[in-house]
């Protein structure tokens, strides 16, 4: 690979990056003018990137700059809008005209009279920093380049430049790389600069992969980006990444047979056309590259695929990473500047290819939405109904995401029966398929279990109502007479607070999504609360109310807080959490347990410790940190596993182990955990930490060993001619073995809703997301298996037939009492990517009720 030309001062020369024969306006500041060093010499920090872009925008009449949001760490999310001065003067008119392309029935201007809209997105992964550093050059080129080529580009396009989609991650990685850069860069792959410490810089503040959040919209960075996307509906969206340093450079199209079927073939053909421009650009500088391998276009939640379901081209670029400033590779030594140049040159080739195919791209987007509406009218499913009165917050969470994606949703004015369920008017909603966003709405709701190809780069299913635990059903017919008004906004479903009388106690049920947040607020304020482990009926000013297991009871007579203070906290629960609070007039109930019953267990405020650090899967640790801290407003201590052997654990009520968390816990740490559990601690282990806990004798659980039962069975049934070794083609190895990987699908479990870990669930059927091949056998204690996979568990997504057989009847959740404490094993991840709200309560029950488990075996 070619290196970079360096001046005597050591700074990368702009001439190395910029195309030959183009003159640049000297009035526009160069990156070095703002940074003090040349692009590629150091990794740019986000504050430096922002400062330079603001300076360029101020000096150019081709640019408008605005802050579109802030990250978790309060860094600015910038957007530069670039076009000719004449276009910028009528920008809003251009935007409104462009949006008509996605509104069937409207009459937009002819394509040859409209500017193209390009969204250039950089650095969604913080440690793939050639992307964000190349944005410096893209901004400079767009502002300063002179001549007929740039004039033509600006006159015929609106370029939305998003220089850094993940500022928090970029900053974390830049600090690491710059801190380990010597005067003489070192390319040795073992050099510390190439191995950033955990959690590295890929994720955002909470360690999430923002390139998987395009559909889910759980983070401020994604929400800001999607808002701009739908304000403009671009024709091309670029997605610049890095991959392993042993590779070269990839650009789409990806693997031909691994395209999502809802993406039109014309999308692929247009991407192939644009690919020719990338090839020409990289040929000119001698860079190696490839297409149509490794990467696919199936999951619509990535920056290179979300545009595909909106009549745009999402184009993925993957540059071999220097992971610092210099790197050895099988292709030769290459440096950071080389990686930046490739990203910059394919940015320019995107401009060239899109501009040359402007009319075709604009017409394609118009046809895309016309065809989507027509297909929606003919689809076998006329629409989907969802929602219910028992947990309006989860319904709201789904509704809010749908509206952010500009999907048409209508209120249900007449109660209906569908799919064996009742859907109540006023609490339920309908998404008709006959709408311009048909393809996106369909992919969010449908269940698919048959696939043309069985290899997935990411998950194979993302069915939203299954993930969020929202009642839903497909409709064969959508009657306009049953639909209310189109829903435009989704206000949070707060409920009236109790105001009548002087109650004996208050109660609220546990099925509300934010009920745990309400309980934590009470416990944090030292309000005494109890959980009902049996059903009861209570007298309230509104009559007799039936309350289920898991109901939280707050007796007023035992409180140190005044009744007014308690009432104020419960008003917050109603307003902020959507929790319906019932005032209870007497401790003597008309049915079930009374309010002094021993079946009402006192609760303690959780003080959880989450094991983090080397060996721990950062995504899964981040999901729990985000859930507890950001969503449920709870403190959680993040502690390295290697430190547990030297800590006094008594201050913690829970220790949480996600995938890989046991890898750095010493034998001393294991002994301390064992004693801590026996004295009352609650150990919560997820994914492979369940196996670790069993191996360390912290839990009684057994697991299926890989192919053990199958091999034993095969041995007994083998015929002599079948004993010969199986012979397969070498070239089929990857396809055969990759098909066995469980990349992510939804399955049904049977949940014991009488168990404290099942509290808050009204039915035993629960969908759970699974992306591992860990199979836990049911507990030998007949009361210990809290959740078990059914005999026909697959709901949505792909699983290899062999793996499905192994899964049937295995345990999803096991809980056991050990001494005064408890051990809870969850073989799946109930908090996947922060949107599986349907299983969130399963995890939170382990946090709030894990300490009240009773011994059920001798």
């Amino acid at each position: 690979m070619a290196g970079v030309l360096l001046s005597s001062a050591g700074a990368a020369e702009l001439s190395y990056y910029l195309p030959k024969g183009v003159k640049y306006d000297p009035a526009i500041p160069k990156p070095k003018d703002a940074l003090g060093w040349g692009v590629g010499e150091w990794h740019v920090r986000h504050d430096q990137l922002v400062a330079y872009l603001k300076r360029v925008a101020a000096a150019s009449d081709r640019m408008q700059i605005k802050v579109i949001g802030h990250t978790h760490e309060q860094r600015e999310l910038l957007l530069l809008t670039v076009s000719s001065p004449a276009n910028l003067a009528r920008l809003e008119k251009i935007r409104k005209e462009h949006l008509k392309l996605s509104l069937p029935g409207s009459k937009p201007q002819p394509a040859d009279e409209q500017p193209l809209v390009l969204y250039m997105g950089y650095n969604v992964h913080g440690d793939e920093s050639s992307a964000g550093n190349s944005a410096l050059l893209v901004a400079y080129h767009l502002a300063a380049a002179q001549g007929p080529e740039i004039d033509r580009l600006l006159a015929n396009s609106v370029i939305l430049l998003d220089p850094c989609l993940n500022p928090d991650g970029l900053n974390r990685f830049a600090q690491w790389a710059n801190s380990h850069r010597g005067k003489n860069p070192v390319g040795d792959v073992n050099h510390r600069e190439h191995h950033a410490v955990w959690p590295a810089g890929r994720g955002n503040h909470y360690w999430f992969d923002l390139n998987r959040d395009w559909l889910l919209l759980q983070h401020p960075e994604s929400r800001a980006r999607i808002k701009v996307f739908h304000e403009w509906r671009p024709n091309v969206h670029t997605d610049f990444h890095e991959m392993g340093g042993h590779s070269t450079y990839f650009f789409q199209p990806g693997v031909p047979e691994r395209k999502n079927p809802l993406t039109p073939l014309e999308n692929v053909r247009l991407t192939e056309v644009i690919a020719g421009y990338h090839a020409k650009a990289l040929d000119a500088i001698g860079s190696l590259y490839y297409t149509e391998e490794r990467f696919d276009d199936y999951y619509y939640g990535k920056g290179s695929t979300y545009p595909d379901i909106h009549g745009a081209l999402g184009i993925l670029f993957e540059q071999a990473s220097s992971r610092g400033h210099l790197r050895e590779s099988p292709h030769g030594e290459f440096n950071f500047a080389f990686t930046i140049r490739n990203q910059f040159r394919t940015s320019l080739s995107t401009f060239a290819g899109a501009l040359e195919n402007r009319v075709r791209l604009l017409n394609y987007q118009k046809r895309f939405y016309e065809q989507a509406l027509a297909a929606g009218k003919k689809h076998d499913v006329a629409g989907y109904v969802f929602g219910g009165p028992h947990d309006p917050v989860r319904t709201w969470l789904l509704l809010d995401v749908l509206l952010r994606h500009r999907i048409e949703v209508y209120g249900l004015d007449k109660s209906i029966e569908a799919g064996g369920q009742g859907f109540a008017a006023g609490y339920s909603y309908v998404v008709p398929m006959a709408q311009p966003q048909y393809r996106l709405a369909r992919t969010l709701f449908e269940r698919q279990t048959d696939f043309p190809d069985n290899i997935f780069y990411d998950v194979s299913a993302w069915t939203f109502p299954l993930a969020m635990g929202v009642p839903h059903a497909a409709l064969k017919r959508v009657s306009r007479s049953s639909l209310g008004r189109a829903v435009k906004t989704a206000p949070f479903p707060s409920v009236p607070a109790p105001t009548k009388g002087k109650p004996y106690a208050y109660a609220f049920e546990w099925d509300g999504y934010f009920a745990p947040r309400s309980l934590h607020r009470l416990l944090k304020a030292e309000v005494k609360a109890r959980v009902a482990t049996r059903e009861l009926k209570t007298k309230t000013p509104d009559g007799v109310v039936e309350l289920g297991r898991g109901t939280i009871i707050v007796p007023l007579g035992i409180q140190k807080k005044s009744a007014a203070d308690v009432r104020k906290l419960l008003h917050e629960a109603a307003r902020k959490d959507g929790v319906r609070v019932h005032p209870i007039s007497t401790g003597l109930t008309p049915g079930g347990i009374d309010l002094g019953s021993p079946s009402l267990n006192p609760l303690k405020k959780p003080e959880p410790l989450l094991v983090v650090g080397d060996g721990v899967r950062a995504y899964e640790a981040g999901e729990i940190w985000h859930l507890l801290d950001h969503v449920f407003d709870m403190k959680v201590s993040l502690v390295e596993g290697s430190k547990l052997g030297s800590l006094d654990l008594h201050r913690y009520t829970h220790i949480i182990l996600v995938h890989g968390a046991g890898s750095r816990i010493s034998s001393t740490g294991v002994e301390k955990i064992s004693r801590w559990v026996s004295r009352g601690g609650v150990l919560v282990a997820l994914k492979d930490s369940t196996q670790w806990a069993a191996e360390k004798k912290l839990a009684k659980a057994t697991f299926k060993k890989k192919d053990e039962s199958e091999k034993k069975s095969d041995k007994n049934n083998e015929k002599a001619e079948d004993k010969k070794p199986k012979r397969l083609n070498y070239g089929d190895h990857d396809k055969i073995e990759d098909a066995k990987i469980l990349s992510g699908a939804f399955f049904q479990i049977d949940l014991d809703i009488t168990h404290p870990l099942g509290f808050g669930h009204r039915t035993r059927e629960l969908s759970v997301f699974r992306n591992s091949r860990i199979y836990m056998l049911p507990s030998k204690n007949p009361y210990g298996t809290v959740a078990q996979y059914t005999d026909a568990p697959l709901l949505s997504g792909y699983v290899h037939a062999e793996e499905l057989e192994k899964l049937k009847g295995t345990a999803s959740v096991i809980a056991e009492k050990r001494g005064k404490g408890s051990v809870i094993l969850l073989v799946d991840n109930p908090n996947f990517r922060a949107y599986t709200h349907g299983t969130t309560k399963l995890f939170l029950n382990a946090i709030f009720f894990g300490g009240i488990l009773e011994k059920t075996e001798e």
Side-chain angles (χ1 to χ4, degrees), residues 475-494:
L475 300 173
K476 288 292 184 182
R477 187 172 66 89
V478 172
S479 170
R480 288 290 173 180
S481 63
S482 67
L483 297 182
R485 294 182 179 179
V487 181
K488 300 298 183 183
T489 60
F492 183 78
S494 59

Side-chain angles (χ1 to χ4, degrees), residues 651-707:
R651 65 172 293 170
Y652 306 109
T653 58
H654 296 70
I655 293 176
I656 306 169
L657 308 175
V658 299
H659 197 86
S663 61
R664 297 293 188 273
I665 299 177
S666 66
S667 57
T668 302
V670 173
E671 292 171 5
K672 293 190 78 169
I673 292 173
S674 181
R675 291 195 298 271
W676 170 82
V677 170
S678 67
R679 294 169 183 169
V682 179
L683 179 66
V684 182
L686 300 91
K687 301 287 283 292
D688 79 344
S689 286
T690 59
Q691 295 173 308
W692 177 87
E695 290 168 4
K696 300 301 180 182
K697 310 300 182 185
L698 295 171
K700 295 177 183 178
T702 53
F703 297 81
K704 287 186 179 181
K705 293 181 180 179
K706 186 175 176 61
D707 298 333

Side-chain angles (χ1 to χ4, degrees), residues 17 164 312 434 528-529 538 742 749 766 797 857:
Y17 301 104
C164 184
K528 296 178 182 179
T538 61
L742 184 50
I749 57 175
L766 184 66
E857 65 175 345

Side-chain angles (χ1 to χ4, degrees), residues 1-2 127-131 134 239-251 282 285 287-290 294-295 316-323 329 331 334-346:
M1 295 185 179
D127 58 359
E128 298 177 1
S129 47
S130 61
S134 70
D239 189 24
F240 289 92
H241 289 262
E242 290 182 355
M243 54 185 167
H246 61 283
S247 299
T248 58
Y249 194 88
F250 168 86
F251 52 85
L282 295 178
I285 56 176
S287 292
L288 297 174
Y289 57 87
Y290 67 96
R294 291 186 61 199
F295 301 98
L316 171 68
F317 301 92
E318 293 274 356
Q319 165 64 50
S321 178
S322 64
R323 277 296 183 268
S329 86
H331 312 288
F334 66 100
N335 58 22
F336 187 38
F338 172 82
T339 69
I340 295 170
R341 182 172 69 160
N342 283 341
Q343 305 278 39
F344 173 60
R345 288 302 182 94
T346 50

